[in-house]
Amino acid sequence: MPLKLYNTLSRKIEIFKPLKKKGVGFYTCGPTVYDYAHIGNLRTFIFEDFLKRTLLYNKYKVKHVMNITDVGHLTSDADEGEDKMEKGAKRENKTAWEIADFYTKEFKNNLKELNILPPDKWCKATDHIKDQIKLIKKLEKKGYIYKTSDGIYFDTSKYDEYGKLTRLDKEGLKSGARVDMGEKKSPTDFALWKFSDQNQKRQMEWNSPWGKGFPGWHIECSAMSAKYLGQPFDIHCGGIDHISVHHTNEIAQSEAANDKPLAKYWLHGEFLVISGDKMAKSGENFLTLSSLKDKKISPLAYRYFLLQTHYRKQLTFSWESLQAAQNGLEHLY
């Protein structure tokens, strides 16, 4: 039987047909390494591992690339707020580089504990600044960018298919916008490069043709996926929260720059919810693998717990359900 995947882009279940015979380019959005990954984050990586193992079982040769976001992800998806790495450094009185190194190692330990196969290529945003600047220069040459006092922005009005992944009503968004746009031309425009605040010393900043600063969050994935997988590649994955902003912006800048699709299939995992809300680092429902192990719950019992619900359905967390999963796993053993 053919392998079938639900493609977020088409909103349909499609027969999987790789771009190259038996070879699969597979990109998964990695963590922002300013804190521990919570178990809601880890649900996405476990779903991606199931997918990867399914591809391998079907004799596909998978080239898996995962990024590490160690700069540029602001506390707001609307290009506002503090850089999460700088915020983590202040919180723990360490350098941003030390924070990135520590939480990258912790994330990789989580993957081992959950029996998740590692990617073939890890790529850090800070190792690919030149690649990101090169992509922004390409967009500049094609007339897709403009400059404000705080950065270089992508002009979404010049990309006709903006929002196709999320089926975004751009006109409706413009007329009903309730966001502080600052100097942005449209509420959907997004930062490609942010300028350093002259009144505040950043730990992570680089020179660029437009001024000293740091890349926006979205540009890293476009630059690194194309570098290691080419464009287009087969499968791009992430959490469902990536659809409306991060992946939408990736598609816009990549396809505007290169005049071809970024990826053929887009797959997204649903939220883990607790007390009716999605699990988030900013909330009080922040649980890590260590939280589970403190309750004598095995990380593999959590993996087994996730297997009982489809990856595109929200899953409600409870300690009772998790304990039942551990009992069921021990019974299997």
Side-chain angles (χ1 to χ4, degrees):
M1 289 182 66
L3 176 62
K4 296 179 181 179
L5 303 176
Y6 179 84
N7 191 349
T8 305
L9 187 61
S10 66
R11 302 295 197 273
K12 295 178 182 177
I13 295 174
E14 301 177 10
I15 295 175
F16 178 63
K17 296 179 180 179
L19 295 166
K20 297 178 181 178
K21 189 176 181 180
K22 286 299 178 182
V24 178
F26 183 48
Y27 188 87
T28 57
C29 281
T32 302
V33 286
Y34 72 106
D35 205 339
Y36 295 102
H38 60 63
I39 60 173
N41 300 141
L42 294 171
R43 183 187 184 193
T44 297
F45 297 107
I46 292 172
F47 130 67
E48 293 163 348
D49 189 57
F50 292 152
L51 173 58
K52 181 178 176 179
R53 288 175 183 273
T54 301
L55 292 166
L56 293 170
Y57 179 81
N58 282 275
K59 304 296 188 294
Y60 289 106
K61 185 176 181 181
V62 179
K63 184 177 182 182
H64 179 193
V65 177
M66 184 187 293
N67 68 303
I68 295 289
T69 299
D70 56 356
V71 69
H73 191 174
L74 305 187
T75 51
S76 164
D77 285 346
D79 299 312
E80 298 173 349
E82 193 173 6
D83 184 295
K84 290 185 176 182
M85 301 308 304
E86 300 276 346
K87 183 178 180 180
K90 290 177 183 177
R91 180 188 69 230
E92 300 187 23
N93 197 27
K94 297 177 180 177
T95 70
W97 302 95
E98 288 170 335
I99 289 291
D101 184 61
F102 177 80
Y103 287 111
T104 297
K105 289 177 180 175
E106 288 298 305
F107 175 73
K108 290 181 179 180
N109 287 336
N110 286 167
L111 297 194
K112 289 179 183 177
E113 290 180 296
L114 289 164
N115 196 27
I116 293 174
L117 297 173
D120 300 293
K121 178 66 180 179
W122 294 100
C123 45
K124 295 195 300 182
T126 52
D127 287 343
H128 296 79
I129 299 299
K130 289 182 179 179
D131 298 297
Q132 295 171 71
I133 290 174
K134 184 179 178 181
L135 180 54
I136 299 169
K137 287 172 72 175
K138 195 170 186 179
L139 289 166
E140 180 179 40
K141 188 175 181 180
K142 298 183 76 170
Y144 282 101
I145 77 171
Y146 62 90
K147 184 178 181 179
T148 72
S149 60
D150 75 337
I152 300 297
Y153 284 80
F154 183 92
D155 188 343
T156 57
S157 70
K158 294 187 176 181
Y159 178 64
D160 292 339
E161 292 191 287
Y162 184 81
K164 63 182 177 180
L165 185 69
T166 191
R167 309 289 173 91
L168 180 67
D169 175 11
K170 284 194 290 184
E171 293 307 315
L173 180 61
K174 288 176 184 175
S175 63
R178 294 291 184 272
V179 296
D180 182 7
M181 286 173 48
E183 299 173 51
K184 293 200 298 184
K185 295 179 180 180
S186 167
T188 56
D189 293 353
F190 57 92
L192 301 167
W193 187 266
K194 295 283 283 186
F195 299 138
S196 297
D197 186 340
Q198 295 182 349
N199 300 317
Q200 188 175 1
K201 176 64 178 174
R202 277 184 59 87
Q203 297 181 55
M204 291 179 161
E205 59 182 6
W206 295 265
N207 292 319
S208 81
W210 312 281
K212 183 174 286 187
F214 57 99
W217 174 32
H218 318 298
I219 197 71
E220 67 178 84
C221 288
S222 289
M224 294 189 294
S225 62
K227 180 171 183 174
Y228 295 109
L229 296 173
Q231 185 178 331
F233 55 90
D234 293 286
I235 300 174
H236 196 314
C237 289
I240 195 169
D241 51 330
H242 284 155
I243 296 174
S244 61
V245 180
H246 183 49
H247 287 172
T248 287
N249 293 346
E250 270 188 71
I251 289 172
Q253 64 199 6
S254 293
E255 298 187 359
N258 298 310
D259 298 314
K260 47 190 170 183
L262 176 55
K264 187 175 181 182
Y265 302 92
W266 292 79
L267 279 77
H268 296 89
E270 254 288 4
F271 290 131
L272 180 73
V273 296
I274 183 169
S275 301
D277 293 319
K278 72 168 186 175
M279 193 167 289
K281 290 185 174 71
S282 58
E284 296 180 359
N285 56 2
F286 181 72
L287 295 173
T288 65
L289 276 192
S290 294
S291 307
L292 306 191
K293 291 189 289 184
D294 288 344
K295 297 273 193 178
K296 309 300 181 186
I297 299 292
S298 160
L300 289 184
Y302 178 60
R303 183 180 173 107
Y304 183 58
F305 168 67
L306 296 182
L307 266 172
Q308 300 174 50
T309 300
H310 193 279
Y311 76 94
R312 285 196 295 115
K313 290 185 178 179
Q314 285 194 0
L315 174 59
T316 300
F317 174 88
S318 73
W319 289 107
E320 294 78 12
S321 297
L322 195 56
Q323 184 62 58
Q326 171 131 323
N327 295 342
L329 184 60
E330 289 173 354
H331 180 71
L332 283 176
Y333 289 156

